[in-house]
Amino acid sequence: GQNIDQPTEMTATEGAIVQINCTYQTSGFNGLFWYQQHAGEAPTFLSYNVLDGLEEKGRFSSFLSRSKGYSYLLLKELQMKDSASYLCAVRVRGGSYIPTFGRGTSLIVHP
Amino acid sequence: DTGVSQDPRHKITKRGQNVTFRCDPISEHNRLYWYRQTLGQGPEFLTYFQNEAQLEKSRLLSDRFSAERPKGSFSTLEIQRTEQGDSAMYLCASSLETESPLHFGNGTRLTVT
């Protein structure tokens, strides 16, 4: 199986930058997803990394290092609405390529 | 693209009763997933369909749980003889291809009293 580790909770200030880390231990790595989930709502897709490097999408960027089993999600110019849980999910080759989720990082943005 | 829809949004039931949830995936998506999520945890995989075939089931899925996708479109998840430990958010997701991201529905929140 996969072992996925994320910090449980982080706090940051509106307008600042925050980096949410995700480490994983798995064999047959086939991609990593980041999802955002507001309380009581469905997870929504943010980014997908399968190759090493940085993927940038507006205020959000995601980085992957396959050799280190490490990814991070970078959120810039934080807004209050960014307060949410951020879920890291890893997919492995073989079988049906089903993503396994970490427990999520609860981000609290304060004024 | 109307998104993934789930019904009902909330279900309160007494222990021992059976419940059934429905999921309508995005129409062109042939892959459908069921996950369960409890407070403070990430989604936990339950089962997966490709078209009408149920290709994977989690080892955590007890025999009280059954899922179907009879025509490769909507899916149902039934829980028989519910227990308090079944209380959770049940999430359905669909995707177009193996490498595509999952699109989640808003979930069905089950409370077993």
Side-chain angles (χ1 to χ4, degrees):
Chain A
Q2 299 95 54
N3 185 23
I4 301 169
D5 193 34
Q6 305 178 235
T8 302
E9 187 174 293
M10 300 181 71
T11 59
T13 305
E14 193 175 14
I17 299 173
V18 72
Q19 178 176 311
I20 302 174
N21 296 326
C22 172
T23 59
Y24 61 89
Q25 295 172 332
T26 188
S27 57
F29 176 83
N30 188 247
L32 186 144
F33 298 92
W34 283 98
Y35 282 81
Q36 179 192 60
Q37 186 177 26
H38 286 101
E41 297 183 11
T44 55
F45 170 72
L46 291 177
S47 68
Y48 173 61
N49 295 71
V50 64
L51 299 176
D52 290 351
L54 188 68
E55 296 277 342
E56 297 187 76
K57 256 191 207 178
R59 294 190 298 115
F60 293 6
S61 303
S62 58
F63 172 83
L64 176 67
S65 168
R66 289 172 297 171
S67 62
K68 295 182 180 175
Y70 168 68
S71 173
Y72 67 72
L73 182 69
L74 193 71
L75 291 75
K76 303 175 189 174
E77 301 167 19
L78 280 172
Q79 301 174 10
M80 299 296 289
K81 67 178 183 179
D82 296 329
S83 293
S85 180
Y86 291 86
L87 300 162
C88 170
V90 172
R91 188 168 59 197
V92 299
R93 284 189 292 276
S96 302
Y97 293 74
I98 293 164
T100 298
F101 285 81
R103 62 187 301 162
T105 298
S106 177
L107 174 66
I108 300 168
V109 180
H110 54 82
Chain B
D1 180 355
T2 57
V4 178
S5 63
Q6 293 188 245
D7 183 69
R9 289 294 307 274
H10 304 274
K11 178 71 177 179
I12 300 173
T13 191
K14 292 185 178 176
R15 189 174 52 192
Q17 297 294 304
N18 299 344
V19 294
T20 300
F21 310 141
R22 176 180 171 123
C23 170
D24 287 88
I26 294 171
S27 57
E28 63 268 27
H29 288 185
N30 61 6
R31 290 167 169 77
L32 187 147
Y33 310 76
W34 285 98
Y35 283 82
R36 175 172 64 191
Q37 187 175 28
T38 54
L39 197 61
Q41 303 294 319
E44 175 187 51
F45 170 71
L46 294 178
T47 191
Y48 161 73
F49 290 85
Q50 186 169 326
N51 299 310
E52 66 276 7
Q54 188 175 18
L55 296 185
E56 285 210 33
K57 288 171 62 172
S58 167
R59 283 171 287 178
L60 301 174
L61 201 65
S62 83
D63 57 7
R64 296 184 298 106
F65 286 68
S66 62
E68 293 183 343
R69 195 182 182 196
K71 296 181 181 177
S73 55
F74 74 92
S75 175
T76 58
L77 177 68
E78 181 183 17
I79 309 174
Q80 296 182 326
R81 305 181 303 280
T82 51
E83 301 173 357
Q84 285 189 315
D86 297 331
S87 295
M89 175 74 85
Y90 288 83
L91 293 166
C92 176
S94 68
S95 69
L96 183 60
E97 297 171 346
T98 300
E99 305 240 329
S100 304
L102 273 59
H103 297 264
F104 283 88
N106 283 325
T108 294
R109 180 167 295 284
L110 173 67
T111 303
V112 182
T113 62

XYZ file of all heavy atoms in Angstrom, chain A residues 10-45:
280
model
N -2.313 23.869 9.401
C -1.412 24.998 9.220
C -2.224 26.280 9.317
O -3.421 26.284 8.978
C -0.713 24.937 7.855
C 0.134 23.689 7.646
S 0.961 23.664 6.051
C 2.187 24.934 6.268
N -1.571 27.337 9.757
C -2.218 28.642 9.759
C -1.337 29.623 9.008
O -0.111 29.466 8.949
C -2.454 29.169 11.189
O -1.184 29.251 11.850
C -3.368 28.249 11.979
N -1.961 30.615 8.397
C -1.226 31.614 7.637
C -2.045 32.900 7.611
O -3.235 32.917 7.945
C -0.970 31.127 6.219
N -1.383 33.960 7.191
C -2.003 35.282 7.178
C -2.455 35.639 5.767
O -1.769 35.315 4.787
C -1.013 36.337 7.688
O -0.534 35.940 8.975
C -1.673 37.706 7.789
N -3.568 36.295 5.670
C -4.071 36.778 4.388
C -2.982 37.552 3.650
O -2.283 38.383 4.246
C -5.272 37.682 4.650
C -6.096 38.017 3.431
C -7.335 38.829 3.805
O -7.386 39.334 4.947
O -8.229 38.944 2.959
N -2.813 37.256 2.362
C -1.802 37.929 1.559
C -0.452 37.242 1.546
O 0.408 37.558 0.709
N -0.240 36.316 2.440
C 1.053 35.635 2.560
C 1.132 34.453 1.593
O 0.233 34.230 0.777
C 1.244 35.152 3.993
N 2.255 33.734 1.692
C 2.483 32.510 0.913
C 2.570 31.339 1.893
O 3.173 31.463 2.960
C 3.806 32.605 0.124
C 3.764 33.769 -0.865
C 4.109 31.299 -0.602
C 5.101 34.035 -1.553
N 1.981 30.218 1.520
C 2.078 29.036 2.373
C 2.431 27.825 1.518
O 2.020 27.724 0.362
C 0.766 28.803 3.156
C -0.355 28.316 2.244
C 0.974 27.812 4.288
N 3.230 26.941 2.091
C 3.646 25.711 1.402
C 3.157 24.518 2.205
O 3.488 24.381 3.387
C 5.167 25.666 1.271
C 5.696 24.401 0.619
C 7.187 24.441 0.410
O 7.736 25.419 -0.122
N 7.885 23.387 0.807
N 2.379 23.667 1.567
C 1.851 22.466 2.217
C 2.585 21.269 1.643
O 2.549 21.029 0.430
C 0.338 22.324 1.975
C -0.399 23.569 2.498
C -0.185 21.069 2.655
C -1.885 23.582 2.168
N 3.253 20.528 2.504
C 4.074 19.406 2.062
C 3.329 18.082 2.104
O 2.405 17.897 2.915
C 5.322 19.291 2.943
C 6.227 20.488 2.818
O 6.338 21.089 1.761
N 6.884 20.852 3.909
N 3.750 17.184 1.256
C 3.198 15.824 1.225
C 4.349 14.876 0.915
O 5.062 15.077 -0.072
C 2.120 15.726 0.156
S 1.506 14.039 -0.160
N 4.555 13.901 1.758
C 5.548 12.864 1.484
C 4.839 11.531 1.338
O 3.795 11.300 1.955
C 6.616 12.776 2.586
O 5.966 12.503 3.830
C 7.398 14.060 2.700
N 5.408 10.685 0.510
C 4.754 9.402 0.264
C 5.802 8.316 0.105
O 6.945 8.579 -0.272
C 3.860 9.467 -0.984
C 4.596 9.784 -2.262
C 5.146 8.779 -3.045
C 4.759 11.104 -2.671
C 5.835 9.069 -4.205
C 5.453 11.408 -3.830
C 5.988 10.387 -4.594
O 6.679 10.690 -5.738
N 5.400 7.111 0.431
C 6.244 5.933 0.227
C 5.415 4.929 -0.530
O 4.384 4.466 -0.038
C 6.686 5.352 1.577
C 7.588 6.274 2.364
C 7.853 5.749 3.770
O 7.028 5.030 4.338
N 8.989 6.119 4.328
N 5.839 4.631 -1.743
C 5.083 3.697 -2.554
C 5.980 3.138 -3.633
O 7.026 3.685 -3.926
C 3.864 4.408 -3.187
O 3.039 3.450 -3.818
C 4.296 5.442 -4.218
N 5.556 2.045 -4.240
C 6.244 1.522 -5.407
C 5.304 1.651 -6.595
O 4.095 1.571 -6.455
C 6.627 0.059 -5.183
O 5.477 -0.705 -4.886
N 5.908 1.876 -7.751
C 5.095 2.013 -8.943
C 4.357 3.336 -9.023
O 3.242 3.400 -9.540
N 4.978 4.395 -8.556
C 4.354 5.724 -8.567
C 3.881 6.091 -9.974
O 4.586 5.915 -10.968
C 5.359 6.759 -8.067
C 4.845 8.166 -8.136
C 4.039 8.668 -7.137
C 5.167 8.988 -9.210
C 3.563 9.970 -7.192
C 4.704 10.284 -9.275
C 3.897 10.781 -8.263
N 2.647 6.637 -10.031
C 2.072 6.986 -11.334
C 1.354 8.319 -11.300
O 0.482 8.573 -12.113
C 1.132 5.872 -11.808
C 0.662 6.073 -13.224
O -0.509 6.317 -13.477
N 1.564 5.986 -14.187
N 1.692 9.165 -10.356
C 1.092 10.496 -10.377
C 0.573 10.924 -9.013
O 0.248 10.091 -8.168
N 0.550 12.225 -8.812
C 0.110 12.790 -7.539
C -0.859 13.924 -7.800
O -0.623 14.785 -8.647
C 1.332 13.285 -6.748
C 1.078 13.784 -5.320
C 2.245 13.408 -4.417
C 0.811 15.260 -5.276
N -1.950 13.913 -7.072
C -2.993 14.933 -7.202
C -3.034 15.779 -5.941
O -2.769 15.302 -4.843
C -4.380 14.279 -7.337
C -4.565 13.414 -8.534
C -4.307 12.058 -8.459
C -5.029 13.935 -9.727
C -4.503 11.233 -9.555
C -5.229 13.117 -10.834
C -4.968 11.764 -10.740
N -3.448 17.033 -6.124
C -3.831 17.885 -5.005
C -5.286 18.298 -5.202
O -5.691 18.692 -6.308
C -2.963 19.135 -4.923
C -1.604 18.895 -4.342
C -0.429 18.702 -5.021
C -1.260 18.853 -2.949
N 0.605 18.529 -4.134
C 0.130 18.616 -2.865
C -1.993 18.989 -1.763
C 0.798 18.518 -1.642
C -1.342 18.895 -0.556
C 0.056 18.659 -0.496
N -6.042 18.192 -4.108
C -7.444 18.587 -4.103
C -7.664 19.588 -2.970
O -7.002 19.536 -1.930
C -8.365 17.391 -3.870
C -8.576 16.521 -5.078
C -7.637 15.572 -5.449
C -9.722 16.654 -5.854
C -7.827 14.775 -6.559
C -9.928 15.852 -6.969
C -8.976 14.919 -7.312
O -9.178 14.141 -8.420
N -8.636 20.471 -3.169
C -9.084 21.394 -2.122
C -10.473 20.964 -1.682
O -11.307 20.624 -2.525
C -9.137 22.821 -2.675
C -9.610 23.867 -1.673
C -9.916 25.200 -2.365
O -10.769 25.280 -3.244
N -9.185 26.233 -1.986
N -10.693 20.987 -0.384
C -12.017 20.615 0.115
C -12.450 21.590 1.201
O -11.865 21.635 2.278
C -12.011 19.191 0.667
C -13.398 18.690 1.063
C -13.393 17.243 1.532
O -12.397 16.737 2.017
N -14.523 16.571 1.360
N -13.503 22.357 0.909
C -14.104 23.205 1.931
C -15.026 22.355 2.784
O -15.565 21.338 2.326
C -14.878 24.362 1.293
C -13.990 25.419 0.738
N -13.694 25.522 -0.606
C -13.314 26.430 1.333
C -12.886 26.547 -0.798
N -12.631 27.114 0.360
N -15.203 22.788 4.013
C -15.991 22.017 4.979
C -17.375 21.711 4.427
O -18.082 22.609 3.963
C -16.103 22.785 6.291
N -17.747 20.445 4.457
C -19.073 20.027 4.014
C -19.258 19.966 2.509
O -20.361 19.730 2.029
N -18.172 20.177 1.778
C -18.278 20.168 0.313
C -17.413 19.061 -0.292
O -16.632 18.411 0.396
C -17.865 21.523 -0.253
C -18.774 22.652 0.204
C -18.397 23.986 -0.425
O -17.574 24.012 -1.355
O -18.930 25.011 0.039
N -17.566 18.873 -1.599
C -16.789 17.859 -2.310
C -15.352 18.331 -2.522
O -15.097 19.529 -2.652
C -17.425 17.577 -3.659
N -14.392 17.418 -2.576
C -13.041 17.787 -2.992
C -13.066 18.290 -4.434
O -13.759 17.720 -5.284
C -12.259 16.472 -2.890
C -13.051 15.597 -1.996
C -14.484 15.982 -2.220
N -12.316 19.344 -4.702
C -12.201 19.844 -6.067
C -10.748 19.773 -6.515
O -9.834 20.080 -5.749
C -12.712 21.292 -6.202
O -12.024 22.107 -5.262
C -14.206 21.376 -5.936
N -10.551 19.380 -7.744
C -9.224 19.137 -8.297
C -8.442 20.441 -8.423
O -8.940 21.450 -8.909
C -9.380 18.482 -9.667
C -8.108 18.389 -10.461
C -7.113 17.495 -10.099
C -7.919 19.190 -11.577
C -5.942 17.404 -10.836
C -6.754 19.106 -12.316
C -5.767 18.209 -11.946
